Amino acid sequence: MNYKRKLNYVSLMIICMVLIMPMLLPLCVKAGAEGMVTPVYYDDGSLFPVVDAAELLTDEEENALAEHISRVESQYNSAIVIVTVDTLGDRTVEMYGDDFYDYNGYGYGNSHDGILFLIDITSRKWHITTTGSAIEVFTDSAQETLIDDCKSDLSAGNYYAAFDEFVSSCEHRLKSDVEYRTFNLPKFIICLIAGFILALIPLFIFIMQLKTVHRETGASNYTQKGLSLTHRSDRFIRKSVVRSAKPKESSGSSTHTGSSGTSHGGSSGSF
């Protein structure tokens, strides 16, 4: 009887653990987000793309920026997240950006495609985090361009203008990437025809210059009768130096792994 009672207790404990486990999983996922600001949500529960914990923007500016981001995201299926904080806690700016993106579930698709722009107003540092396909789209050189486009406004304290310009630069880069990867048959045919026409122009010019050319039936006109060489010498008259540019390294993205195990591209700096 005692054996059956113990067996029932064990069975009950197993059942309880199975029922509680799904409720504990979200807590495990969010565990890495400890010490960071809380993300913002729309009324439908989806993530709001602007988290202004440092209060650098007005409510109207946040909404306008979010609308701009939503238009870009819906067209290119790549997340754009703007985050401002007034403390990094015990994290570096890179760790904060990576963890905030990963543990709060930002990004599109299984690879969580997207880019995050983090500003720590206290240290005046910025960080860009790229994830998924955005690692290849926003290469190291592309990230330099993004910062160059908005850094003057950041330094001047024009934060809305800086963030809006950052989003516009992201849009331009995403558009360029799509155009580069998309094979456009009409454009290809036009370029092919234009190249053929340009190649024919010098050919016709050379043909027109050959009107006086006629066939030579003998070799007598090419001989040099009575020519005799009595002296021969080599004389150095000039030198030629050929210089070639050092090949540049191919542009790409440097990557690292965040605490969640996700691979990221990114860069950091001050403003």
Side-chain angles (χ1 to χ4, degrees):
M1 193 72 178
N2 289 335
Y3 173 77
K4 289 184 178 180
R5 184 177 300 174
K6 290 180 179 179
L7 183 62
N8 289 336
Y9 285 150
V10 172
S11 301
L12 183 61
M13 289 177 64
I14 293 174
I15 293 173
C16 291
M17 289 177 64
V18 170
L19 293 175
I20 293 174
M21 241 172 162
M23 292 185 290
L24 293 177
L25 285 176
L27 296 178
C28 295
V29 173
K30 295 292 183 180
E34 183 181 353
M36 294 191 295
V37 298
T38 304
V40 181
Y41 297 89
Y42 286 105
D43 292 337
D44 62 0
S46 58
L47 286 161
F48 194 73
V50 182
V51 182
D52 183 29
E55 298 184 353
L56 305 180
L57 305 170
T58 65
D59 291 343
E60 291 76 14
E61 289 173 338
E62 287 185 35
N63 291 328
L65 194 59
E67 289 178 7
H68 189 181
I69 291 173
S70 296
R71 290 196 302 270
V72 178
E73 287 183 340
S74 62
Q75 186 171 1
Y76 298 104
N77 293 326
S78 185
I80 301 175
V81 186
I82 305 294
V83 182
T84 73
V85 297
D86 54 14
T87 178
L88 296 171
D90 57 357
R91 290 177 170 86
T92 65
V93 67
E94 179 185 278
M95 293 168 58
Y96 199 107
D98 292 348
D99 289 351
F100 190 86
Y101 191 94
D102 293 340
Y103 291 112
N104 289 308
Y106 289 97
Y108 276 72
N110 294 330
S111 55
H112 302 284
D113 306 331
I115 182 171
L116 178 144
F117 188 33
L118 170 67
I119 294 293
D120 175 35
I121 195 62
T122 301
S123 64
R124 296 187 69 81
K125 291 182 178 179
W126 58 265
H127 180 72
I128 292 176
T129 290
T130 57
T131 310
S133 64
I135 295 176
E136 300 301 324
V137 176
F138 299 102
T139 60
D140 292 346
S141 60
Q143 292 173 41
E144 290 181 10
T145 301
L146 296 181
I147 293 301
D148 288 342
D149 290 342
C150 68
K151 193 171 184 179
S152 59
D153 281 319
L154 275 179
S155 299
N158 302 323
Y159 299 111
Y160 172 74
F163 296 144
D164 193 59
E165 183 61 39
F166 181 86
V167 176
S168 296
S169 297
C170 288
E171 180 179 13
H172 177 74
R173 180 65 184 179
L174 289 164
K175 181 180 178 181
S176 298
D177 181 72
V178 170
E179 291 176 349
Y180 175 78
R181 296 175 185 275
T182 302
F183 178 76
N184 193 314
L185 184 59
K187 287 183 180 180
F188 175 76
I189 294 175
I190 292 172
C191 292
L192 190 64
I193 294 174
F196 182 73
I197 293 174
L198 291 174
L200 287 177
I201 293 175
L203 180 62
F204 280 122
I205 292 175
F206 290 136
I207 292 175
M208 295 301 292
Q209 292 175 349
L210 296 176
K211 287 184 177 180
T212 59
V213 176
H214 60 276
R215 186 181 183 87
E216 182 64 57
T217 57
S220 59
N221 290 335
Y222 299 104
T223 62
Q224 298 286 343
K225 295 181 179 180
L227 179 64
S228 178
L229 297 176
T230 60
H231 180 72
R232 181 177 64 183
S233 64
D234 296 328
R235 182 177 298 174
F236 179 77
I237 58 174
R238 68 174 63 89
K239 68 177 181 178
S240 177
V241 179
V242 179
R243 294 182 175 90
S244 57
K246 181 181 178 181
K248 295 182 178 179
E249 296 182 0
S250 58
S251 177
S253 295
S254 54
T255 59
H256 60 276
T257 303
S259 66
S260 68
T262 303
S263 180
H264 293 285
S267 55
S268 305
S270 302
F271 64 93

